[in-house]
Structures are given as structure tokens and as C-alpha cells.
Amino acid sequence: MIDYASQIGWQPLSQAETENLRHFDTSATLPSERAKNSYLFLKDILLQKVIEFNPKYTEKDNDFLSKLKNLRSDIQGNKDFLQFLRGEKTFFCSEENREYNLKLIDFDDHTNNIYHISEEYYFHNGRFGNREDIVFFINGIPVIVIECKNSTKDEALAIGLDQIRRYHKETPEMLIPQQIFTITEAIGFLYGVTWNTNHKNLFNWKSTEDGEEIGNLESKVKTFFDIKRVLAFLKKYIVFVEKDEELNKYILRQHQVEAVEKVVTRALDNQKSRGLVWHTQGSGKTFTIIKSAELLFKQPEADKPTIILLIDRNELEDQMIRNLRSLGIQNVAHANSIAAMRDLLKEDYRGLIVSMIHKFNDMPPNINTRKNIYVLVDEAHRTTSGDLGNYLMAAIPNATLIGFTGTPIDKTAYGRGTFKTFGIDDPKGYLHKYSISDSINDGTTLPLYYSLAPNELRVPEDILEKEFLKLAEAEGVSDIEELNKILEKAVQTRHFLKGKRRIKKIAEFVAKHYQTYVENLGYKAFLVGVDREACALYKKALDKYLPTEYSQVVYTAAHNDNEELKQYHLNKEEEKTIRKNFSKSGTLPKILIVTEKLLTGYDAPVLYAMYLDKPMRDHALLQAIARVNRPYEDEEGKKKPFGLVIDFIGIFDKLEKALAFDSDDVKSVIKDLVLLKDLFKKDFENIAPKYLGLIKPPYTDKEVDKLIEHFKSKSKRKEFFKFYKEVEMLYEIISPDAFLRPYIENYKLLTQIYYIVRNAYAKHIYVDKEFQRKTIDLVKENVDIENLEMTTDAYELDANTIELIKKGKKPDNVKVINLVKTLGKYAEKHSGDLVLISLKEKAQEIQENYENRIITTQTALEQLEALIKEALGQEDEKKSKGFDDLTFFFSVKLTEYGFKNSDSIAKSFKESFKKHPHWQQSEADTRELRQEMYLTILSVTDDIEKAKKIIDDLFNILLKANE
């Protein structure tokens, strides 16, 4: 890693050089003491660049480093630090009695900066100490951290993420200047931003356009850490925004950055004035628009432009304005009326204008003919349709128009018109594309599956065709309001949908389905009614089958509503609370009943299922069902597999009519849940037999031994574990279902095989964490856990242990596992014995080397036998000397260091510990204790460096044991 980075301009520093530049106390030996008064920065380099970039800066007037040190140790402090990096903070010049912007990094000429890379970056805050693997510095400031994991370890990337999370929890001060983190195990390469460790905001870096390569670490390092790219990340592509009154931090993904750069380039192109950004639903389109607007506004070539952001829904206008201002853009006007828009354009306003397309209604032509007016149009497939688009183009004829759409081109003239309007300057009809398939492959969004409700609950086919699917006006419908107008005329359809008996049956179905298939997975659901009255009816019906607090109605209130509708009216604060609570796992409500509101622009990743009882099609349908395609991972690391739509209309029975898009796009949009059953069937018919044939009940010890022997190869285990987890997830989704009946026995056997193998090769297996919820029930009810626990034996450690294992008829591979577990069990039983901690670690290292084929089976057995003899011998020695665990630990270690009188020194150390019982809580006590031990060693040796190293080593072991 360091070698690759050095080849692209990052200068390597050794750990010692870095700590010297951070002003570590080299006279101290304990890492926490060495780091006690150090800086997070390479102090002298940072101050050198501050003075170089800011000639009027004086330390006397500013004490800049103290300001950095006093920043809050949270996300707000990290935001403040990024503002320092971007030159948005100021310093005071007493000579001129004024403030100047403080420059820490030269973003215009990257050659003026100094770039370093170093490993083993240590920080201690007085309570916790952490050591990061690799850190990148710009002008002495740590900006990026890499966690490098061993590719041979299972779930190496997840372990790396856990470490990053631990840094935030234990040493948040360390993360204040650092803006980006990456995790790699040489195969994958993930990146994200500090202060956002949610797995869904961690992304795969693609060093090639197709992004298909596995491994190729050199290419990934050299492209991601390209100096100009890193500067661009820091300067442009990290954003802080408020959501639900909480500050959040994000980094734009590769497709977003590419689109933003293309939008800015197109806007400044004198020859071209149109462009279409075609990014699928859920791929972060809002941030792409915001960043495009911000960077375009700040471009000198744009020459004080006017940038108009046209939003498709009025409730999103305030949110857009807040987000823009949180980026530091103050020139933001809200054109909330036709008159306001007319006045802003007429008076030649320079800055950003947030509005909606209908504010251009009846706008006079040529109201502003400037060329540097840029219009960014959200949901372009509908926003500029009809006369409103004509008014817009006539009012500002020389403006550049950039459209953003999240839905594919549809087959209707309406859809093709979008590409004609915005795509005329590009051969393919778009400036940048990020398709549904791209998004699913990247994990940006999840696949969608649908299931048709029972036939008797669905709308009769002839009525649906006549009143909806065959209507020309319904083709390409792109707006919920527009859809509602069409449905108002569909009298028979609405009458059928709101029939009392049907409402009752669907409510009963939804309640049962939710509890059986959704709630026990930990997810939430939408119930979508045809109109507000249907929502009210569903709420009453649903309350008979589920607790009242489970569901909540959310719709727009009207002044002339009847009493039935009024009882579900919400004020702004009530709705805000419901939105916030619904987006969290484990809180109420669990089901939202909606018809229009929240079907666009509302993100709740915990939302998994949509019960669709409203005829929809094309863009409106795609936008609505995209509410359930957001990735989600719970606290235990279990991931939402996809989004599910239960169709009570029958709309997906006519998929080609419901989604009038090109067929390739339709295939990517949503698939029949039946396909998952087909996949489960194929897995059990084609792949499972090779595993099921490895063991036959009853599970004798010999059968189990054969199974463990078969999976001694790590690659075999990895392949099997991956297969089992896929099958398990399918089972969770499909169950309960009569379809599974023929597979139950084999699924149970496959689960037992998985448990046996995991239990043999892992340290601990907890059924509640290892399996999904429905499989847990199956395991507990039908699988003999006690028998499975006996798959490998951890013997009592005594003089007979080695002979017992040697004489056993188990395969050598199983003997290795048994010996490792025996040592582990023994160490846990004597948890206070520090000597045994190192023996346990040595045993696990032997197993690692054996599994990775670094050592042979015979060598592993010999090394483990030697360890057991060592453990037993040390236990006898400890008893004969009458030492406690701590004194004996010191004696053993001092003997290893070459001291002949180790016992007497160990006793002196023990006495020192007695005098300082609170050394772990008190830094003063720790210093005194260390000093006493240091002097004790110096009484028997003149080697000062050796004495320092011994104390350092001993305290490192002690601190690690007490973490």
C-alpha cells in the first residue's frame, strides 16, 4: 500500500519519524505516556505551510493549533475542521484589524502542498488508545485512514469496519481532522466518510469503467489516492446535511462525481445548452443536483450566474433550501409564487433560485436573455411537459437546461419527449447514465420482487383494462396528482377497491402477512390505498387485527374533509414525529397507510414491504415502489435482501403494460417472487446434494469427524458458508409456504451441517446471532443442539490430555481443532492467568498457519503438544513457588528477558502493584507504578534501553488483557 502510494506522490514516513513530527515524548516508554502531549498533526510541517500560505498570519494573534485542539469531538467538530481545510475559516491580522481567510491547503496548485503517508498512527486520550494502520497527511494534517486486513480472515472487511467504529467510540478526538476512511483486505476496497459508519454508506471503489475487477489492489490504490482526486474529495465531494434535526455526513459516489463534473462542463460549454442525467431511483440524485448547483455557482467562468433549481414537490422546497445553506451557500432565493419568480428574473438576480415549474405559468417571453442562467430540473420526465415547459424556455431563451430523471425512457411519446427536450446535444440522448442494473450491482439499491395477492382480492381484469390500462391519458403518467385525477373517473374500480367486505379481507391478509413475513424479519411496511377515504377505512379495519399503535395514517388534510377523514389529520409536528419514528427499527408505528404523501421523496431504509392497493403505472408506479429498494443493515449486521411489493390490484400481472419501458429496463425493475422459489428449488436440486451427501444420520462421532475433515480447507468452508447463507435468506423470505414442505428435512440437515462446521472452526457460535429468525425457530425446535455442541471435544487439560487425544481415532485435522479448543477452554477457565493468554494466542496462530497450509498437520500437532506441556509445566511451577497469577506472569516474562533472579524481581513488582491498586484509573498512579518497576529493573541491570522496553512490553500485555 505504502509503496503504491509513494509511486503517485505520497512521501513515506516511518512510525518513528511521524511520532517525532507529532512531538511524542521519546523519554517515556508506555505508548500512552509517549503520546500524552503530542499533536494529531505533524506540527512543524503544518505551521510551516500556514505561514507560507498566509503571510499576514501571526501565532501571537491567533494560536491556531489551540483552536483546532478545542474543536468538539463529534461530527460537528469534524465539519468545522473540514471548513478549516477548505479555507472557510478566518484568522485575525492585528496590524490591519481585520479577518482573512485561513489557507491550509492549496487546492488550485496541488504542487504547493506536502503529501505524506505513514503507518501505525497512535493516539491516546487518557482513557483509550488506538492505532490506525495507515494514515495520509496533507501539509501535516491527517485526512484519510486505511484499515488493512488479512485476506485469509473470514469477513475481513467487516472486521475493518468494526475497528473504524471502535475508533469513533473510544478515541473520537483522533477522527476530528480525518475526513475519509478506506478498508481493504487486498481483494475488496471500500471507502466512506468518518462520522458515518453505516454499512449502506460504505462503497466499493471501481478503478476501471466496468468495475468488474477483483483484487488489483495497485490500480485501486493509485486511482483512489490520486492526489488531484483526494483534493477534489476534500474540497468538493464531502457534504454535511441535516436530516430529522441530526447532522449527517456523506461522500458522493463515483457515478455522482462523474455526473456533477459533466453537468458543470456542459453548463460552461458555449456550443451546447442541454443535458440529461439519467440516474435510477435511490441512487442519490438529490445530492448530485445540489453539488452541481453549488460547484456551478462557484465557478469563475460562470460569471455570477443565476441557477434555478426546479423541484417537483412543494414539501421538498424547504428541504432543498436548508441543504443548500448547510453547504455554505447564502445566495438562495425561494420563488414561492409566480410574481416572485418574475421579479427575480426581471431584476437580474444572481444566485440560486429554488422553485417549481408552475411558477413559470404565463411568464412573459424574453424576461431575461442572459446566457449564464442554468436551470437544473428534477424529475425532468414530467416537470417540463406541456405549456409550462414552453413558458420556461420562452422566458429565458438562452439558458442552459439540465434535466435529471430517475426513471427509464418509456415507450410513449411523452417519455420520448423528455429525451428529445434534454438529450438533443448527446448522441445517446443523455449526458450521464446510472441504470437500475448498475445501482443493484453496486449495492446502491436493492432488487425489487412482487407477489400477486389472491385472485378474489384483485381488481377484475376487464374493469382494470377499461378504466386504467387502456386509457391513453394514463400512458406515461408521471405524477401522483395526475394519477389521482385519472382514478377519480375510474368509478367502478374505486367502488370495487373500497367495498366493505374486501377492505376487511385485505386488512386481515395484511395483518397476517406482516406478522408472518415482515415483522419477524425486523422490517416495516406501507399500505397504499386508492385515496384518502380508503386509507381511513383501512386504518379502522386494520386495528381489529393489529394493535392500534402498529399503524398510522399519513395524508394531506383538506378544509372540507368529513369527520371520518378529519380524525386522521396531523399537524406538522405530529407528521414529523411519525416520519422520524417510522424510519427507525424497533419503534412504532410499523405500518404507514398512505395514498399520495410519502410515495415520493421519503427514504426509510427499514421499509421492506409495500401492500399496493392503488392502480399505478409507469413513472408514478416506479417512483412509489422505489420506496422499498433502499439498502438496510440492522445492528447485528443482517441485511435487507430486497424490497417486496404485494400487489392487490393485479397491475404486475400485466407487467409490460404497467411499466411501458424498454424491455431490458423492465426486467431490471421488478421480478416475480416466484423466481425466488425457483432459485431455492435449483439450489436444492443442483448444489445442496454435494453437501447433504457428506453426512448421514444418526450423527455418530465418526460421521462428524469425516465432515470436519472434508472442510479443513478454508476455501471449501467459505464456498459452503456463502451457499448456505443464500439458501437461508431464501427460506426466511418464502417461509411459511407449502412450497417448502418437500425441502424441510434437507434444509434442517443442511443447517446442521453448517452448524457443525461453524462450531468446529469458529471460537464461539451463538444460535441467536448465527441464524436468521425463522431458522432459529427451526433449529431450536427440530435440531439437537446438545449433540451438535459435541462435534469437537475440548478436553480437560491435565497430564493425560495429550495421550488421550493421540490415542483417539479421530482424523489428525480434528485433533488439531480439539487441541486448540482445549487450550482455549483452559485459558478461559483461568482467565486471570496472563501467561495463558499468550498460550491461547499461540494456539490460534498455529491453527491459522495450519489452515493456510503454512505448516503441515504433523508440525501443528507437535507445536500444540509442546504448548500443552508448557501450560501444564507452568501450572505446576506456579503451585510449587506459591505465586499468584500476576507474580507468576512477571516471573515467566522476566525469565524470557534473561534475568536469573526473575522470582525476586517479580515479587518486587507485585508489591508495587499492591501500593497502586487504582493504576488503571489514575494516570498519576500509572506513572508512579512504572517508575518503581523501572528502578527495580535498573537495580539489577545497567541497560537503560532494555529496562524501558521490558516495562513497555509488560504494560502493553496488561492493558490488552484488561481491555
Side-chain angles (χ1 to χ4, degrees):
M1 292 281 288
I2 291 176
D3 185 43
Y4 295 149
S6 69
Q7 293 171 27
I8 56 171
W10 298 89
Q11 301 173 42
L13 289 174
S14 68
Q15 181 184 346
E17 288 172 318
T18 303
E19 291 181 354
N20 185 48
L21 287 165
R22 291 175 60 201
H23 290 231
F24 270 51
D25 181 358
T26 54
S27 67
T29 50
L30 193 67
S32 58
E33 285 190 354
R34 288 166 58 81
K36 186 177 179 186
N37 295 309
S38 66
Y39 292 88
L40 291 167
F41 326 101
L42 311 180
K43 180 190 174 186
D44 301 328
I45 293 174
L46 175 55
L47 287 179
Q48 169 199 328
K49 300 307 287 187
V50 167
I51 292 165
E52 178 187 326
F53 291 154
N54 308 276
K56 297 179 185 294
Y57 174 89
T58 61
E59 191 68 9
K60 172 175 68 74
D61 287 336
N62 295 280
D63 194 13
F64 159 65
L65 291 180
S66 291
K67 287 181 181 177
L68 295 185
K69 195 172 183 179
N70 291 328
L71 290 175
R72 289 167 49 171
S73 300
D74 59 12
I75 189 172
Q76 182 60 54
N78 185 251
K79 180 185 178 184
D80 291 339
F81 201 101
L82 185 60
Q83 289 177 323
F84 271 109
L85 292 179
R86 289 175 170 174
E88 295 167 5
K89 297 286 187 178
T90 61
F91 69 89
F92 180 68
C93 176
S94 58
E95 285 183 10
E96 300 180 19
N97 195 32
R98 59 165 291 189
E99 301 274 334
Y100 281 97
N101 280 71
L102 180 67
K103 182 177 179 180
L104 300 183
I105 295 176
D106 192 334
F107 288 102
D108 298 320
D109 185 353
H110 71 278
T111 62
N112 288 332
N113 302 308
I114 301 174
Y115 306 93
H116 287 112
I117 180 173
S118 182
E119 59 185 343
E120 299 294 314
Y121 179 92
Y122 181 77
F123 175 80
H124 198 283
N125 60 11
R127 188 178 177 194
F128 294 104
N130 277 310
R131 195 180 296 278
E132 296 174 327
D133 290 341
I134 297 175
V135 171
F136 289 74
F137 300 83
I138 300 179
N139 298 334
I141 302 166
V143 291
I144 305 178
V145 56
I146 307 181
E147 279 303 308
C148 305
K149 297 294 108 185
N150 189 332
S151 61
T152 63
K153 288 200 171 183
D154 292 338
E155 301 176 356
L157 295 174
I159 293 168
L161 181 58
D162 283 344
Q163 280 189 258
I164 295 289
R165 287 170 174 162
R166 179 161 58 81
Y167 299 158
H168 282 80
K169 182 180 178 182
E170 296 179 351
T171 51
E173 302 89 346
M174 183 165 69
L175 280 302
I176 296 310
Q178 297 176 12
Q179 299 296 328
I180 299 170
F181 70 85
T182 65
I183 305 169
T184 183
E185 56 2 347
I187 301 169
F189 190 98
L190 303 178
Y191 70 102
V193 280
T194 54
W195 301 97
N196 186 340
T197 57
N198 190 315
H199 199 283
K200 76 183 182 74
N201 293 312
L202 194 59
F203 312 116
N204 283 301
W205 179 254
K206 296 181 287 188
S207 58
T208 59
E209 278 193 24
D210 59 28
E212 289 297 318
E213 85 280 9
I214 295 172
N216 198 1
L217 183 64
E218 180 178 359
S219 174
K220 289 172 180 173
V221 169
K222 288 183 175 179
T223 52
F224 186 87
F225 294 105
D226 172 78
I227 283 171
K228 288 184 179 179
R229 190 188 303 278
V230 170
L231 291 174
F233 277 142
L234 296 174
K235 179 68 177 174
K236 304 174 185 176
Y237 298 119
I238 294 173
V239 297
F240 287 86
V241 293
E242 278 195 19
K243 184 179 180 183
D244 295 329
E245 299 179 347
E246 289 181 9
L247 188 61
N248 292 273
K249 181 182 180 185
Y250 303 96
I251 188 168
L252 269 67
R253 285 158 278 175
Q254 283 175 277
H255 69 275
Q256 293 172 297
V257 170
E258 290 167 8
V260 168
E261 290 176 351
K262 287 195 173 188
V263 166
V264 173
T265 301
R266 175 57 52 85
L268 300 175
D269 190 324
N270 289 321
Q271 305 301 315
K272 298 177 180 180
S273 61
R274 297 285 187 275
L276 181 66
V277 176
W278 178 11
H279 284 191
T280 191
Q281 297 287 340
S283 60
K285 190 156 46 71
T286 301
F287 282 160
T288 306
I289 295 171
I290 289 172
K291 261 299 161 187
S292 299
E294 180 204 358
L295 297 186
L296 189 52
F297 180 67
K298 291 177 178 178
Q299 285 290 323
E301 302 96 312
D303 191 23
K304 297 179 181 176
T306 301
I307 301 171
I308 303 172
L309 279 74
L310 294 182
I311 313 302
D312 68 312
R313 302 190 68 78
N314 53 21
E315 65 253 34
L316 300 180
E317 286 181 284
D318 289 340
Q319 185 180 320
M320 176 64 79
I321 291 166
R322 281 197 307 274
N323 287 339
L324 289 167
R325 286 182 176 152
S326 73
L327 293 175
I329 303 172
Q330 299 307 319
N331 299 48
V332 182
H334 184 192
N336 55 2
S337 67
I338 294 172
M341 177 64 83
R342 184 183 61 242
D343 292 345
L344 286 166
L345 291 173
K346 198 172 182 180
E347 293 165 11
D348 203 28
Y349 171 81
R350 307 298 178 107
L352 275 69
I353 300 172
V354 177
S355 192
M356 295 177 69
I357 185 67
H358 67 258
K359 302 302 190 310
F360 277 90
N361 194 27
D362 286 330
M363 189 68 69
N366 299 316
I367 194 167
N368 195 318
T369 57
R370 251 190 312 117
K371 181 162 174 46
N372 63 339
I373 297 175
Y374 308 102
V375 186
L376 308 184
V377 184
D378 192 14
E379 305 300 349
H381 55 271
R382 67 167 176 262
T383 307
T384 52
S385 61
D387 292 338
L388 292 174
N390 295 330
Y391 284 131
L392 165 70
M393 294 173 199
I396 42 177
N398 298 316
T400 294
L401 268 65
I402 307 290
F404 294 80
T405 184
T407 55
I409 183 169
D410 63 54
K411 296 175 182 176
T412 66
Y414 187 36
R416 288 194 295 273
T418 305
F419 280 70
K420 186 178 177 183
T421 301
F422 292 96
I424 54 173
D425 287 332
D426 295 289
K428 292 184 178 179
Y430 54 82
L431 183 62
H432 191 264
K433 179 184 178 183
Y434 187 66
S435 71
I436 294 168
S437 297
D438 293 333
S439 180
I440 291 171
N441 290 338
D442 285 350
T444 306
T445 59
L446 298 174
L448 290 172
Y449 284 87
Y450 71 86
S451 178
L452 293 171
N455 194 54
E456 68 271 15
L457 297 177
R458 302 204 300 267
V459 179
E461 194 175 315
D462 57 332
I463 296 176
L464 188 65
E465 287 278 348
K466 178 185 172 185
E467 294 196 335
F468 190 65
L469 289 176
K470 283 187 176 178
L471 289 181
E473 62 188 298
E475 280 194 357
V477 63
S478 59
D479 185 87
I480 294 287
E481 291 175 12
E482 187 183 340
L483 175 70
N484 289 342
K485 289 175 184 174
I486 294 167
L487 291 176
E488 280 176 17
K489 301 172 188 174
V491 179
Q492 282 183 280
T493 302
R494 285 193 298 120
H495 180 74
F496 175 83
L497 292 176
K498 292 189 283 189
K500 286 183 181 180
R501 289 180 63 194
R502 182 177 182 274
I503 291 279
K504 179 181 178 295
K505 283 183 179 179
I506 288 183
E508 185 177 3
F509 180 96
V510 168
K512 186 176 179 182
H513 186 278
Y514 178 77
Q515 291 178 309
T516 307
Y517 295 95
V518 183
E519 185 179 23
N520 57 6
L521 294 177
Y523 303 129
K524 296 190 176 182
F526 268 11
L527 171 53
V528 183
V530 67
D531 55 25
R532 295 183 308 141
E533 183 188 13
C535 291
L537 292 171
Y538 270 128
K539 173 60 179 165
K540 282 185 176 178
L542 207 55
D543 285 350
K544 293 177 182 176
Y545 301 100
L546 291 173
T548 304
E549 62 272 17
Y550 262 47
S551 62
Q552 184 72 52
V553 178
V554 179
Y555 53 57
T556 305
H559 294 299
N560 60 346
D561 280 347
N562 59 36
E563 290 305 313
E564 188 176 32
L565 294 179
K566 280 182 180 177
Q567 64 181 314
Y568 300 116
H569 283 189
L570 301 168
N571 60 41
K572 277 190 176 181
E573 283 305 310
E574 287 171 334
E575 184 178 322
K576 189 176 178 182
T577 301
I578 288 167
R579 284 171 175 246
K580 191 173 181 178
N581 290 341
F582 183 79
S583 67
K584 295 177 182 177
S585 176
T587 58
L588 295 169
K590 297 186 177 189
I591 300 172
L592 290 186
I593 306 169
V594 299
T595 184
E596 177 179 341
K597 220 171 209 184
L598 307 188
L599 286 181
T600 59
Y602 176 65
D603 282 350
V606 74
L607 174 58
Y608 164 69
M610 176 177 285
Y611 299 103
L612 184 64
D613 196 33
K614 178 171 186 167
M616 303 178 90
R617 61 177 297 174
D618 300 329
H619 303 280
L621 175 61
L622 195 57
Q623 278 195 312
I625 63 177
R627 296 311 102 207
V628 297
N629 77 351
R630 300 327 193 234
Y632 175 76
E633 182 177 349
D634 68 16
E635 292 177 358
E636 293 179 0
K638 290 176 182 175
K639 297 177 184 177
K640 187 169 91 175
F642 51 75
L644 177 64
V645 181
I646 308 298
D647 178 11
F648 289 98
I649 300 297
I651 206 79
F652 291 116
D653 204 22
K654 308 283 184 184
L655 195 56
E656 291 293 332
K657 290 185 180 179
L659 293 168
F661 304 128
D662 289 345
S663 58
D664 287 346
D665 290 314
V666 173
K667 289 172 188 172
S668 301
V669 172
I670 191 163
K671 298 173 183 177
D672 193 335
L673 194 65
V674 169
L675 293 174
L676 294 185
K677 293 182 179 180
D678 292 342
L679 181 58
F680 188 90
K681 185 170 182 279
K682 284 176 184 174
D683 279 348
F684 263 88
E685 289 178 355
N686 301 331
I687 302 174
K690 74 175 183 179
Y691 297 118
L692 296 170
L694 295 174
I695 188 169
K696 295 177 178 63
Y699 302 126
T700 63
D701 58 342
K702 288 183 181 179
E703 284 289 313
V704 170
D705 291 345
K706 272 172 27 188
L707 186 65
I708 294 169
E709 178 70 15
H710 176 83
F711 283 106
K712 69 180 180 182
S713 162
K714 218 169 197 181
S715 60
K716 276 188 179 180
R717 295 203 301 274
K718 204 167 186 179
E719 181 187 342
F720 171 58
F721 292 165
K722 184 180 178 184
F723 168 73
Y724 176 79
K725 283 297 170 185
E726 177 184 298
V727 169
E728 183 193 25
M729 182 52 71
L730 291 172
Y731 175 85
E732 291 293 311
I733 291 155
I734 298 167
S735 174
D737 194 296
F739 159 82
L740 291 170
R741 182 66 190 87
Y743 305 102
I744 288 292
E745 290 306 313
N746 279 341
Y747 180 65
K748 284 193 289 187
L749 179 55
L750 198 68
T751 299
Q752 288 173 309
I753 293 170
Y754 175 83
Y755 190 92
I756 288 168
V757 178
R758 283 289 286 168
N759 193 44
Y761 289 96
K763 294 176 192 173
H764 296 286
I765 294 295
Y766 301 102
V767 172
D768 288 350
K769 289 188 177 180
E770 192 64 33
F771 297 106
Q772 298 284 344
R773 288 171 176 84
K774 292 176 187 175
T775 302
I776 289 170
D777 295 337
L778 189 73
V779 167
K780 288 181 175 177
E781 288 173 16
N782 298 287
V783 177
D784 188 348
I785 294 296
E786 288 184 6
N787 284 343
L788 294 181
E789 295 288 1
M790 298 299 292
T791 54
T792 52
D793 302 318
Y795 297 91
E796 286 299 320
L797 195 63
D798 55 35
N800 300 316
T801 303
I802 295 169
E803 281 305 309
L804 192 65
I805 293 176
K806 271 186 175 180
K807 287 179 180 177
K809 295 181 180 179
K810 293 182 180 296
D812 286 348
N813 174 55
V814 178
K815 288 178 183 177
V816 170
I817 296 169
N818 287 346
L819 285 168
V820 172
K821 292 206 169 190
T822 296
L823 278 163
K825 183 179 177 183
Y826 187 70
E828 285 172 11
K829 186 177 177 181
H830 301 82
S831 57
D833 192 334
L834 293 164
V835 174
L836 287 174
I837 290 175
S838 61
L839 286 176
K840 181 183 176 183
E841 288 173 350
K842 285 178 185 175
Q844 288 167 352
E845 187 180 340
I846 291 168
Q847 186 180 7
E848 276 286 317
N849 290 337
Y850 169 64
E851 289 183 6
N852 292 325
R853 301 182 181 181
I854 296 169
I855 59 175
T856 64
T857 309
Q858 193 56 40
T859 303
L861 287 169
E862 287 170 1
Q863 290 180 358
L864 287 166
E865 184 179 333
L867 269 185
I868 288 177
K869 286 178 178 176
E870 184 182 340
L872 291 171
Q874 287 176 344
E875 183 64 23
D876 291 340
E877 185 184 351
K878 183 171 69 173
K879 286 176 183 175
S880 68
K881 289 181 177 180
F883 284 173
D884 62 13
D885 288 341
L886 186 61
T887 309
F888 185 67
F889 162 70
F890 288 139
S891 175
V892 170
K893 296 304 290 183
L894 289 162
T895 301
E896 289 176 6
Y897 293 133
F899 290 97
K900 291 179 181 177
N901 52 347
S902 59
D903 287 355
S904 62
I905 301 172
K907 289 175 183 176
S908 296
F909 281 178
K910 176 65 178 181
E911 290 304 313
S912 296
F913 269 79
K914 282 182 181 177
K915 285 190 276 181
H916 302 284
H918 304 297
W919 68 273
Q920 288 176 292
Q921 290 80 37
S922 166
E923 284 192 52
D925 269 15
T926 304
R927 279 196 300 274
E928 289 175 22
L929 175 60
R930 285 177 53 81
Q931 186 66 16
E932 283 186 29
M933 294 172 70
Y934 179 60
L935 292 173
T936 299
I937 292 181
L938 287 180
S939 69
V940 293
T941 180
D942 295 329
D943 191 335
I944 295 173
E945 287 304 314
K946 181 179 180 181
K948 284 181 179 179
K949 185 179 185 307
I950 290 169
I951 298 298
D952 205 16
D953 286 351
L954 292 176
F955 270 86
N956 276 337
I957 295 169
L958 288 166
L959 289 168
K960 186 177 179 182
N962 286 284
E963 279 181 352

